[in-house]
Amino acid sequence: MKRFLPWIIVAIVVFGIYSWGKGFNNTAVEYEANAKTAWSNVESAYQRRADLIPNLVATVKGYAAHEKETLEGVINARAQATKTTIDVNDLTPEKMAQFQQVQQGLSGALSRLLVTVERYPDLKADKSFQELQSQLEGTENRINVERNRYNDAVNTYDIYTTKFPGKLLAGLFGFEEMARFKSASGSENAPKVEF
């Protein structure tokens, strides 16, 4: 029995290392999948906004057909935003910044459209327009909530894979830090509102 004792100790140590590595890997995979799902929810919220825009533009067009430049700007920004996507397995900071820049272009176009609407009291009173505007406002709130949830999921994943000793295994298993959603540059300054 004494001559098998070293082999038993080695087997216990190997099993312990295996269990630790397996546990780390499975938890990291779970956190990574949660972050990817959260990103999919962000994209879904942006898609909802993109889906609302044609109805909004059609409603405004009925009242303000001569605002062609503003309406075309919204349509073009929507087209650009819907064709810019990020592969969930390749969420790099550069691609995230590009995605965010395109979405900001759409947000700017929508803001210009809503400022234009102020000139048309009949349009502002239209029930269809009010409903669309309300849905759009709700969608903007959803986008913000989903971006925050994504950042929370990425934070959990990144903390888990960068804390010692997990950092050693993260590199071994190929887990890399994920990109977070960041605010646009200049958004820390209050916007100027002029009438």
Side-chain angles (χ1 to χ4, degrees):
M1 183 69 172
K2 285 186 180 181
R3 66 183 183 154
F4 292 116
L5 188 60
W7 290 106
I8 292 171
I9 292 172
V10 168
I12 290 172
V13 169
V14 168
F15 181 74
I17 291 172
Y18 166 78
S19 295
W20 173 58
K22 180 180 132 191
F24 172 84
N25 184 66
N26 290 346
T27 302
V29 165
E30 180 183 335
Y31 289 160
E32 183 179 42
N34 289 343
K36 288 178 180 180
T37 298
W39 176 252
S40 295
N41 292 340
V42 169
E43 288 184 321
S44 176
Y46 276 116
Q47 184 62 50
R48 176 175 163 70
R49 177 174 73 171
D51 292 344
L52 287 172
I53 290 171
N55 294 332
L56 184 67
V57 168
T59 303
V60 172
K61 194 182 284 186
Y63 285 88
H66 60 280
E67 299 287 353
K68 185 177 180 181
E69 185 178 318
T70 303
L71 294 170
E72 285 178 358
V74 172
I75 292 167
N76 292 337
R78 178 193 179 270
Q80 186 67 29
T82 55
K83 74 178 182 182
T84 303
T85 59
I86 301 176
D87 179 9
V88 73
N89 295 311
D90 191 22
L91 290 169
T92 64
E94 296 80 23
K95 290 182 180 178
M96 186 76 76
Q98 179 186 16
F99 179 85
Q100 190 171 352
Q101 183 178 12
V102 172
Q103 293 299 331
Q104 288 170 342
L106 180 54
S107 293
L110 281 172
S111 294
R112 287 188 293 282
L113 177 65
L114 294 177
V115 166
T116 300
V117 166
E118 293 297 319
R119 295 184 226 147
Y120 301 94
D122 291 343
L123 174 60
K124 286 173 36 178
D126 182 77
K127 294 282 186 209
S128 297
F129 177 76
Q130 289 175 352
E131 174 68 24
L132 285 167
Q133 189 174 20
S134 175
Q135 286 184 29
L136 192 60
E137 289 169 0
T139 299
E140 291 296 331
N141 288 334
R142 286 181 190 169
I143 288 170
N144 186 51
V145 167
E146 295 302 339
R147 286 189 307 215
N148 289 339
R149 287 180 180 163
Y150 167 74
N151 280 345
D152 288 342
V154 168
N155 191 51
T156 300
Y157 165 81
D158 282 348
I159 288 171
Y160 185 74
T161 58
T162 56
K163 279 175 38 178
F164 184 82
K167 187 171 187 157
L168 301 173
L169 292 176
L172 183 66
F173 291 133
F175 292 105
E176 298 176 359
E177 189 171 346
M178 295 180 80
R180 286 176 171 75
F181 213 102
K182 296 180 181 173
S183 65
S185 63
S187 62
E188 68 277 358
N189 300 323
K192 292 181 181 178
V193 178
E194 297 178 16
F195 295 100

